[in-house]
Amino acid sequence: MTPGTITGKELFWFNNTLVAIHVSSIAGEDGTCVVEHHMPYGDSPPLHAHRREDEVFHILEGRLRFQIDGHERIADAGETVIAPKGLPHTYRVESPEGARTLTITRGSDFETMLRQASRPAEQPELPPLMEPTPEIIAALVQLCAKNGIDIVGPPLG
């Protein structure tokens, strides 16, 4: 994965991913947020539902397996997938080289949670892989709940 599109953007390490904020929710009146994610093979967030925001994924590179409201589908580069608010969803990066997506939401919940749960990226590349501890998981669940996102199940295996 080449981080060429993220030059000059705010960069964060969110768990095992590199996140670049392209458009902050505070930039416009309707709160649209555009975030670029660089994700390693096998990356999968816990099954979750956004209370107030749809989550749109546009796949730039790689292949992802999505689970939305109990239904699975594969999406490749160039495809766009929506996880409507209120529906439990997750994904898993299936391409060995990782994946890169744009994630678009309308509202500040997702962006605020990302900023609170992340650390500034030391360089524009994926962070060293780490297994989340029970403390990290508990803190993420709490931050998500505070920002309108409910964790409702495990990541995809």
Side-chain angles (χ1 to χ4, degrees):
M1 299 284 123
T2 306
T5 60
I6 59 176
T7 303
K9 306 295 180 196
E10 285 186 276
L11 301 178
F12 299 96
W13 283 342
F14 175 63
N15 297 326
N16 289 319
T17 70
L18 174 66
V19 176
I21 309 284
H22 282 268
V23 178
S24 175
S25 60
I26 62 171
E29 289 188 31
D30 70 353
T32 299
C33 175
V34 179
V35 173
E36 183 176 341
H37 275 93
H38 291 239
M39 303 166 288
Y41 170 75
D43 187 67
S44 179
L47 186 66
H48 62 283
H50 297 255
R51 286 182 234 139
R52 295 178 288 266
E53 299 174 323
D54 292 337
E55 189 171 17
V56 176
F57 302 88
H58 179 72
I59 295 88
L60 299 169
E61 296 177 10
R63 170 177 276 204
L64 288 92
R65 175 170 46 111
F66 285 90
Q67 184 183 85
I68 302 170
D69 199 27
H71 303 282
E72 286 197 12
R73 73 169 281 200
I74 297 291
D76 291 301
E79 294 186 69
T80 303
V81 175
I82 185 168
K85 67 182 172 185
L87 295 184
H89 63 278
T90 186
Y91 61 80
R92 183 176 188 279
V93 176
E94 298 292 347
S95 44
E97 69 278 8
R100 194 166 59 92
T101 67
L102 290 178
T103 304
I104 301 124
T105 57
R106 183 172 166 236
S108 63
D109 291 347
F110 179 65
E111 179 186 353
T112 300
M113 182 279 300
L114 275 178
R115 289 179 182 278
Q116 292 172 346
S118 299
R119 59 200 189 278
E122 295 174 15
Q123 60 260 352
E125 58 190 47
L126 291 173
L129 282 176
M130 65 173 203
E131 285 296 319
T133 65
E135 294 79 19
I136 289 172
I137 293 169
L140 182 61
V141 168
Q142 189 174 37
L143 280 174
C144 285
K146 187 172 117 179
N147 289 289
I149 304 166
D150 299 312
I151 305 296
V152 297
L156 285 176

